[in-house]
Amino acid sequence: MSRYTFGPRWRVLTSTALGQGEGIACLALTDDLRGDLADGYHLHPGLMDLATGWAMALIDGYEPTHLWVPVSYRSVRVYQPLPAEIVSWVRNAGQNRADGEVASFDVTIAAPDGTVCVEVEGFSIRRMEDAAGFAASEAAPSQSGELDTPAPLSPAEERLRHNLSQGILASEGPDLFFRALAAGQPQVILSSLDLVGLIAQAGETNADAAGSDQKFQRPELDSDFVAPENDIEIRLAGFWQELLGVDQIGVEDSFFDLGGHSLIAVRLFAQIRKTYNVDFPISVLFEAPTIRKCAELIAARGVPTEGGDDTSAEVAPAAPERRFTHLVPMHSGEGGPKTPFFLVAGMFGNVLNLRHLAHLIGTDRPFYGLQARGLFGDEDPHRDLQEAARDYIAEMRQIQPHGPYMLGGFSGGGITAYEIAQQLTAAGEEISALVLLDTPLPVRPSVTRRDRLMIQLLELRDRGPSYPVDWVKNRVAWEIRKRQPGDEAETEGQQFHNAAIEEAFLESVAAYPLKSWSGPLTLFRPPLVGKWQVAQDRLINHERDYITPDNDWTPWAPKLEVFEVPGDHDSMVLEPNVRVLAARMKRCLDEAEKRCLTPAS
């Protein structure tokens, strides 16, 4: 097992046996704790935790010093309460390796007579930093026979421990949870501080930030600190420290492990472009997530590794050498043995915000993002969606020459994925899964004159007699802004041609000849949140589009399945909401793959 100290209710493991990719364990509550079951613990937490988490030794390369934490269950089926004695049968549900980020298992929990009580599919755990200093552990004997003293906590761990001590108490949690559900609000924040305390804390934080250029200490990472060695690495380290707010960043530290995300990446590559006159898409961080690898890419474009501050003026722009224009491998080593999944990025063509989803789907399935042409450099974006789909397919076939194909698209990218599926089917290929992440119909139904009038009446009712005057003022201001020339000056945080890509995408979608689709189609969407209920069956959002449970796809795709996931249009693919989306998508893809592998009867 491990060297962690658990409470008495978790000391239930009596025997274990491991085989090839599977294991059996017997677990039992002690006699003095069996009263817990009579108190209403139908799934006793000690039994349940250890029944699912005891077999980490099935992970190839696992060491007791590794720290793995639970992430999610893909599905749990409960047939009856757990008795005081149980048997746990655990099987690897993926290519579980210690050097991977996530491991997953299938678990069957039964009574001693073989009666199945609980079946768990896709129990996932995530590899974290080493266990030292993270949790209390039993002291291990050293070679001299004496007990080793646990290492002192780092400053960051001390802050974490203090913050946890100030959190919501376990006794308060259930009541707060149900009160949050009953609030009926799309987003609720629960805090252990009252409003006055939160305001005071925010004021202290802002005062500290204003008084000093604060940076956090380098966190505990899998990589050791390696100092920069040449001018490019030194300058990049300065960029990273400034943007990430972390002191002493090593050249082998991962941008993502340090908390980097797409907004920071845009600013980082804008600084690189300004300094070195070289242009990279931010998706290059998947293949070069460290300072050292980024520096090597810059040096490969002709930038000297040793030079003064004026090196950028001496470097002429050069076309980047890339394996693909559109395809971005989102796993290290391009993934495992399962059928690849290709996901088209949203309207702006940036795949970086899909990184969390790719990793939670699992490294055993190759995951490729498809980014837009024209994201950087001098290439013009596609203005024909069918042409874009053909170019995407050409690169997809270099990875997977023939089907069955698994495709998807986020937001507007789902329309491109829909056309890719149409073209592959026309070419005689099979589509086993087509997944849309809150993708709208290419051309949405226009709001009727009656419903536009109803919106005005609802606004008048809510905002009172001043609403007509405010509406006229806003309309005049909008007309004036529309006629003013745009600010062509380049601002900090270069947007990588977002405006041009958006314009070209909207043009291509408006001209796209939508056709019916008879194959599988799965839509994942956030909860329906509208601004105006103009009729009992008609809801309109703040963008003045109708909101429907199927995003209007059913008339075009009769086999449509719809799943609601937490978050909104943007946050559904971000932490923490993405965990629910990933679990359901993973199940969808696994079931599609099983259908293709099962011969027709």
Side-chain angles (χ1 to χ4, degrees):
M1 276 291 293
S2 71
R3 297 186 293 124
Y4 298 119
T5 300
F6 296 96
R9 286 177 169 79
W10 275 258
R11 295 171 187 161
V12 295
L13 203 59
T14 59
S15 64
T16 64
L18 293 175
Q20 186 66 37
E22 61 181 350
I24 290 283
C26 295
L27 304 93
L29 290 170
T30 56
D31 292 339
D32 59 320
L33 295 176
R34 297 193 177 202
D36 290 350
L37 304 182
D39 291 339
Y41 288 94
H42 298 308
L43 294 180
H44 192 280
L47 290 173
M48 195 68 185
D49 282 352
L50 271 295
T52 53
W54 70 269
M56 289 189 292
L58 294 176
I59 301 172
D60 187 15
Y62 170 78
E63 296 290 343
T65 56
H66 295 170
L67 178 63
W68 294 81
V69 297
V71 174
S72 65
Y73 296 122
R74 187 189 316 153
S75 68
V76 179
R77 295 181 178 90
V78 180
Y79 301 105
Q80 65 179 49
L82 296 181
E85 298 182 25
I86 59 173
V87 177
S88 167
W89 176 33
V90 180
R91 291 90 66 197
N92 279 332
Q95 195 177 33
N96 296 335
R97 298 178 55 86
D99 55 2
E101 187 173 350
V102 176
S104 60
F105 306 90
D106 293 334
V107 184
T108 301
I109 305 174
D113 64 359
T115 302
V116 174
C117 302
V118 178
E119 284 187 322
V120 177
E121 291 184 5
F123 169 58
S124 296
I125 57 177
R126 177 183 290 272
R127 172 80 183 273
M128 304 292 286
E129 66 266 31
D130 286 345
F134 193 87
S137 62
E138 296 177 2
S142 64
Q143 292 182 352
S144 63
E146 299 179 355
L147 294 181
D148 291 336
T149 302
L153 298 180
S154 69
E157 291 164 340
E158 288 284 6
R159 288 196 298 272
L160 174 61
R161 186 169 68 175
H162 172 74
N163 290 338
L164 290 175
S165 71
Q166 303 303 304
I168 296 171
L169 300 177
S171 58
E172 301 171 331
D175 178 58
L176 290 172
F177 176 73
F178 287 114
R179 284 167 59 189
L181 290 179
Q185 300 296 321
Q187 293 186 345
V188 178
I189 296 176
L190 302 178
S191 172
S192 58
L193 296 176
D194 57 23
L195 183 58
V196 174
L198 283 172
I199 294 173
Q201 186 183 69
E204 292 172 1
T205 302
N206 291 337
D208 291 341
S212 64
D213 185 15
Q214 183 181 12
K215 288 186 173 64
F216 294 100
Q217 285 188 331
R218 179 179 179 271
E220 294 290 335
L221 302 174
D222 291 337
S223 57
D224 295 328
F225 174 76
V226 179
E229 296 179 354
N230 59 51
D231 284 359
I232 299 178
E233 291 180 353
I234 292 171
R235 182 165 289 191
L236 288 181
F239 293 163
W240 286 39
Q241 290 173 8
E242 176 188 349
L243 296 173
L244 295 168
V246 178
D247 194 19
Q248 201 179 35
I249 295 178
V251 295
E252 298 292 350
D253 298 344
S254 168
F255 175 82
F256 301 111
D257 292 344
L258 291 167
H261 51 74
S262 58
L263 295 178
I264 293 177
V266 168
R267 297 178 63 194
L268 171 64
F269 281 91
Q271 289 187 340
I272 290 174
R273 184 187 189 200
K274 181 178 179 180
T275 303
Y276 297 111
N277 200 24
V278 295
D279 206 355
F280 294 120
I282 59 177
S283 61
V284 81
L285 284 167
F286 286 107
E287 60 181 283
T290 66
I291 289 173
R292 176 141 292 167
K293 290 183 177 179
C294 278
E296 290 172 354
L297 291 178
I298 293 171
R301 298 284 294 276
V303 177
T305 57
E306 304 294 342
D309 292 340
D310 59 347
T311 54
S312 60
E314 303 170 2
V315 181
E321 295 182 5
R322 290 173 291 151
R323 180 181 172 191
F324 298 114
T325 297
H326 306 293
L327 219 58
V328 180
M330 300 182 74
H331 288 320
S332 177
E334 303 191 9
K338 291 185 176 179
T339 303
F341 179 60
F342 300 93
L343 185 66
V344 184
M347 178 171 61
F348 296 112
N350 173 21
V351 300
L352 206 65
N353 62 333
L354 303 174
R355 174 180 176 268
H356 299 290
L357 178 62
H359 281 274
L360 289 169
I361 291 293
T363 55
D364 54 348
R365 183 178 301 284
F367 193 117
Y368 296 90
L370 289 163
Q371 64 185 5
R373 192 177 73 188
L375 195 62
F376 77 111
D378 298 325
E379 296 174 293
D380 291 327
H382 285 106
R383 295 187 175 275
D384 184 295
L385 195 142
Q386 293 170 299
E387 178 189 350
R390 285 194 293 271
D391 289 347
Y392 287 178
I393 290 171
E395 293 193 0
M396 288 167 52
R397 285 192 181 275
Q398 295 182 50
I399 298 296
Q400 184 184 356
H402 299 287
Y405 286 97
M406 291 184 169
L407 311 170
F410 172 55
S411 187
I415 304 171
T416 307
Y418 188 87
E419 173 58 21
I420 290 173
Q422 297 279 15
Q423 292 189 19
L424 286 171
T425 302
E429 301 288 359
E430 180 182 356
I431 307 299
S432 60
L434 177 56
V435 177
L436 305 184
L437 305 183
D438 202 27
T439 297
L441 208 65
V443 179
R444 297 180 180 182
S446 299
V447 175
T448 65
R449 185 175 182 275
R450 179 263 179 199
D451 289 344
R452 289 198 303 271
L453 178 60
M454 181 59 67
I455 289 174
Q456 303 303 328
L457 292 175
L458 291 172
E459 287 292 294
L460 179 62
R461 184 192 67 185
D462 293 340
R463 297 167 62 177
S466 64
Y467 171 67
V469 177
D470 294 337
W471 184 88
V472 171
K473 289 180 179 178
N474 293 334
R475 180 72 183 189
V476 170
W478 179 79
E479 291 289 348
I480 293 174
R481 286 196 303 270
K482 187 173 67 172
R483 287 164 172 76
Q484 289 177 341
D487 183 7
E488 301 296 333
E490 183 178 1
T491 60
E492 182 183 5
Q494 174 231 17
Q495 297 300 304
F496 290 104
H497 308 176
N498 277 1
I501 291 174
E502 178 184 20
E503 178 188 356
F505 177 80
L506 294 176
E507 178 183 321
S508 67
V509 166
Y512 176 57
L514 186 63
K515 296 173 289 188
S516 296
W517 170 250
S518 60
L521 184 64
T522 307
L523 172 68
F524 294 92
R525 60 153 180 82
L528 301 179
V529 178
K531 186 173 182 180
W532 299 288
Q533 187 81 49
V534 295
Q536 185 175 1
D537 60 344
R538 291 196 298 282
L539 188 64
I540 297 177
N541 64 16
H542 69 282
E543 296 176 339
R544 307 208 174 200
D545 291 317
Y546 288 112
I547 299 176
T548 59
D550 63 350
N551 285 16
D552 299 313
W553 281 101
T554 299
W556 300 92
K559 295 182 181 179
L560 176 71
E561 287 187 291
V562 181
F563 295 94
E564 184 172 291
V565 294
D568 56 27
H569 179 76
D570 295 313
S571 67
M572 64 185 285
V573 296
L574 304 176
E575 292 281 11
N577 301 319
V578 68
R579 295 180 179 274
V580 176
L581 172 63
R584 293 182 177 176
M585 273 186 64
K586 186 173 182 179
R587 183 173 185 177
C588 170
L589 297 177
D590 288 345
E591 289 176 350
E593 190 156 43
K594 287 178 183 177
R595 287 194 297 269
C596 290
L597 296 175
T598 303
S601 56

